[in-house]
Amino acid sequence: MTPRPTTPAGEPATDPALLRTLASAGLPATGRFVRTAGWVSTAWVGDAFVVRLNADARFRDAYRHEARVVDLLAGSEVPHARRLAHGDGPDGPWYVSGRLPGRTLYDAWPTADRRTRRSIIESLGAALRALHRVPVPVGLMPPWLTGALAGGPWPAFHPPVVGATLQQVEAARRRPGHDPRLLADVDAWVRERLDLFAADRPVLVHGDLHGSNLIVDRGRVTGIIDFAEAVAQPADVELDTLLRWCARAREFPPTPDDRGLDETTLAEVPGWLHGAYPELFEREHLRERLNFYDMYGELTLSAHHPWPDARDAAQARVARLLSGHNHLDGLVW
């Protein structure tokens, strides 16, 4: 849901939706703003703050959840944008935050040299260590995910929720055209691995961490943004998302009309992150745990995605995962 700049220069605050949102927030309609676009939101980047407007009813409570999470970060060492205000206006839910120095990693990465890239990832490791030390309420979960697990629609398919994995096996079984034998094998596979998570202590996990949700400046991360999918889950759930981004970066564009980064430029990221945050990689049976998170994601796609082709592709990836192979095969850390 992260926006990015689509115009090169700021304009005065004349957009009617921006003016109405500023009025709802009690902010002056002064200064210049760059209008930006994202997957489900529109934003205006000003000199001192960023105004976001969410028009997608499926994520209507996203900003309320994000505000709750950002408030948890107060006083921590996690680099993030300060929340100024949030609420509902005539154009939908809105959120105003302070502006961070820099630009998204997605935008900065292609022209950064190797030394700068390594510095960025090392600072990311420090930021994630701080994030995972923030006290988190038990069961923290975005409202859309709570609704989906209760039988509602699935507008997104990550982050993984370990305790709901068998539920996704059953959901896949209710799909017409499912492979009963495959899902029987998946059921056994999942049950054999649940004990890997029995002693876990949930931490605050961003849940959607990739190049578009990191602001960087002068070789360091100045902010982690868009906490709308933050959850209380094991810390290596974060690693699952990051490694998937490294392996399949083209699938993580900032908007539907863009293309993600070239995966070959991210080949060294896992190793750099390992060096900066080794504890994240030191879980016993890490590969099996990461495979488990991947299985959750593919099961939710095969059970809930509205497009038959996407469900079929996910089912094929489930079968490949059962054989011990997935996107992790080509990564080095």
Side-chain angles (χ1 to χ4, degrees), residues 229-284:
E229 296 192 49
V231 292
Q233 283 292 295
D236 52 2
V237 163
E238 207 87 86
L239 183 59
D240 168 65
T241 303
L242 283 165
L243 293 181
R244 182 174 288 102
W245 169 58
C246 290
R248 293 158 54 176
R250 287 178 177 85
E251 300 175 16
F252 290 81
T255 74
D257 297 327
D258 284 310
R259 185 176 183 178
L261 294 174
D262 179 354
E263 292 90 349
T264 62
T265 69
L266 301 172
E268 293 184 281
V269 167
W272 291 336
L273 184 63
H274 189 179
Y277 188 5
E279 310 96 286
L280 192 60
F281 293 77
E282 290 173 354
R283 293 301 302 262
E284 189 175 6

Side-chain angles (χ1 to χ4, degrees), residues 18-312:
L18 172 60
L19 293 174
R20 287 190 292 266
T21 304
L22 289 170
S24 295
L27 293 170
T30 57
R32 302 176 74 83
F33 291 83
V34 176
R35 190 176 187 275
T36 70
W39 281 84
V40 298
S41 63
T42 299
W44 294 266
V45 180
D47 293 333
F49 51 83
V50 177
V51 179
R52 286 187 287 159
L53 182 64
N54 181 7
D56 191 323
R58 299 175 303 170
F59 298 101
R60 183 165 186 85
D61 293 323
Y63 292 155
R64 177 172 58 84
H65 179 69
E66 180 167 359
R68 180 187 182 192
V69 174
V70 169
D71 286 351
L72 295 175
L73 305 180
S76 75
E77 296 181 1
V78 181
H80 66 283
R82 183 169 58 95
R83 178 179 69 86
L84 301 179
H86 77 286
D88 287 281
D91 298 285
W94 52 265
Y95 188 104
V96 183
S97 59
R99 181 176 178 179
L100 295 164
R103 52 184 177 156
T104 66
L105 183 150
Y106 174 88
D107 289 323
W109 194 260
T111 58
D113 59 29
R114 183 176 181 272
R115 181 178 179 180
T116 301
R117 290 175 175 179
R118 179 167 187 164
S119 177
I120 289 171
I121 300 305
E122 289 175 346
S123 72
L124 172 61
L128 290 180
R129 181 185 289 107
L131 177 66
H132 297 157
R133 290 175 176 172
V134 173
V136 61
V138 175
L140 179 75
M141 191 177 296
W144 73 261
L145 183 52
T146 300
L149 292 174
W154 283 78
F157 304 97
H158 265 75
V161 179
V162 171
T165 306
L166 286 173
Q167 178 181 335
Q168 302 318 306
V169 178
E170 294 306 313
R173 282 178 168 145
R174 292 193 291 271
R175 271 289 184 185
H178 72 271
D179 184 334
R181 182 175 297 179
L182 174 67
L183 290 179
D185 290 342
V186 171
D187 187 285
W189 187 96
V190 169
R191 292 179 188 275
E192 288 173 359
R193 288 160 176 78
L194 283 173
D195 283 348
L196 295 175
F197 306 91
D200 280 354
R201 179 182 64 85
V203 303
L204 180 56
V205 170
H206 179 277
D208 189 29
L209 205 57
H210 51 78
S212 296
N213 286 337
L214 296 167
I215 304 298
V216 302
D217 188 45
R218 300 181 182 182
R220 64 184 181 92
V221 172
T222 57
I224 300 174
I225 62 174
D226 195 353
F227 285 89
E229 296 192 49
V231 292
Q233 283 292 295
D236 52 2
V237 163
E238 207 87 86
L239 183 59
D240 168 65
T241 303
L242 283 165
L243 293 181
R244 182 174 288 102
W245 169 58
C246 290
R248 293 158 54 176
R250 287 178 177 85
E251 300 175 16
F252 290 81
T255 74
D257 297 327
D258 284 310
R259 185 176 183 178
L261 294 174
D262 179 354
E263 292 90 349
T264 62
T265 69
L266 301 172
E268 293 184 281
V269 167
W272 291 336
L273 184 63
H274 189 179
Y277 188 5
E279 310 96 286
L280 192 60
F281 293 77
E282 290 173 354
R283 293 301 302 262
E284 189 175 6
H285 307 297
L286 178 63
R287 176 62 190 258
E288 283 298 309
R289 291 170 62 91
L290 294 171
N291 286 346
F292 191 98
Y293 301 142
D294 191 29
M295 180 65 79
Y296 173 95
E298 300 300 352
L299 283 170
T300 58
L301 286 168
S302 64
H304 303 291
H305 202 286
W307 300 345
D309 289 350
R311 295 197 301 271
D312 290 345

